[in-house]
Amino acid sequence: MKILVLNGSPRKNGNVAKTLRREVEKMSEKYENCQVIWEDVCDLRFEFCKGCMACRAKKECVLEKDDAHKIAEEIKNCDMIFAGTPVYWGNVNGKMKALFDRLVAVMMAESKSGIPLALHKGKKALIVTSCTTPFPFNYICGQSTGAVRALKEILKSSGFKIAKTINISNTKKIKS
């Protein structure tokens, strides 16, 4: 079992990172030969997607090689992806969104008629979000739901089955 962890939080010991680590520990206990690749998304260096769509034909990003290309290879080779992000304005943080924008070519293909084709069928995903808004207002106001919806859209469209979603709310009250 090869797990790719994408920690979208700039806080390496924050709620998202701690939760991701706990989930990795659970999976390591479940699977004997569990290999984990941990990536702190905020430390990655990559350019923004230019929207050129050349990746559709080439099946990889045509921009100069950077950390987004490395993550693309890790996604191709993983069995499961753990994606964690703090909630910023009801969505994933900008660096995580920018990374997924760059990964379109490795996440999904396109039929001749332009229909998206998932490239990761059979793989599983876990989503972790955290926000300062207390429960139930994190749902009523769309904070947690916006970030989860964005990650589900990306991962499900790519063929990943969402195995678990964890929403941490009211993080002002949680001691890190």
Side-chain angles (χ1 to χ4, degrees):
M1 169 68 65
K2 190 180 277 189
I3 300 171
L4 172 61
V5 179
L6 296 175
N7 174 29
S9 176
R11 297 179 184 168
K12 291 183 179 153
N13 204 28
N15 295 306
V16 169
K18 285 179 181 176
T19 303
L20 288 168
R21 278 190 213 100
R22 272 195 306 273
E23 293 301 314
V24 164
E25 284 176 23
K26 289 178 189 176
M27 290 302 285
S28 295
E29 290 171 6
K30 186 175 180 179
Y31 295 97
E32 195 172 304
N33 294 322
C34 194
Q35 181 185 357
V36 178
I37 300 167
W38 184 284
E39 296 288 357
D40 289 309
V41 174
C42 291
D43 291 343
L44 298 175
R45 298 201 183 276
F46 58 89
E47 294 295 319
F48 288 100
C49 177
K50 306 294 186 219
C52 68
M53 301 306 283
C55 65
R56 295 288 187 164
K58 300 254 185 201
K59 301 194 183 338
E60 72 174 348
C61 181
V62 297
L63 295 179
E64 190 172 315
K65 297 284 184 202
D66 58 17
D67 286 342
H69 290 88
K70 177 181 81 164
I71 301 299
E73 287 304 310
E74 291 170 352
I75 288 173
K76 286 179 190 176
N77 296 318
C78 77
D79 300 303
M80 189 169 195
I81 190 168
F82 288 11
T85 182
V87 176
Y88 292 175
W89 288 102
N91 211 325
V92 299
N93 79 8
K95 191 87 181 223
M96 180 79 104
K97 173 66 168 80
L99 177 63
F100 279 119
D101 287 347
R102 279 288 303 280
L103 297 172
V104 168
V106 73
M107 301 297 278
M108 55 198 299
E110 209 173 72
S111 72
K112 289 181 182 180
S113 59
I115 306 296
L117 302 171
L119 295 176
H120 298 280
K121 289 180 181 172
K123 295 183 180 184
K124 293 183 181 176
L126 174 136
I127 295 171
V128 175
T129 64
S130 72
C131 71
T132 59
T133 308
F135 179 84
F137 300 104
N138 62 316
Y139 288 98
I140 294 168
C141 299
Q143 292 299 304
S144 296
T145 54
V148 169
R149 184 178 57 250
L151 286 172
K152 279 185 176 179
E153 172 66 25
I154 293 163
L155 296 168
K156 288 172 94 176
S157 295
S158 304
F160 287 91
K161 181 178 185 250
I162 309 303
K164 188 174 185 180
T165 301
I166 301 169
N167 298 297
I168 308 159
S169 61
N170 205 17
T171 57
K172 286 187 219 172
K173 302 279 185 186
I174 299 172
K175 294 185 180 188
S176 291

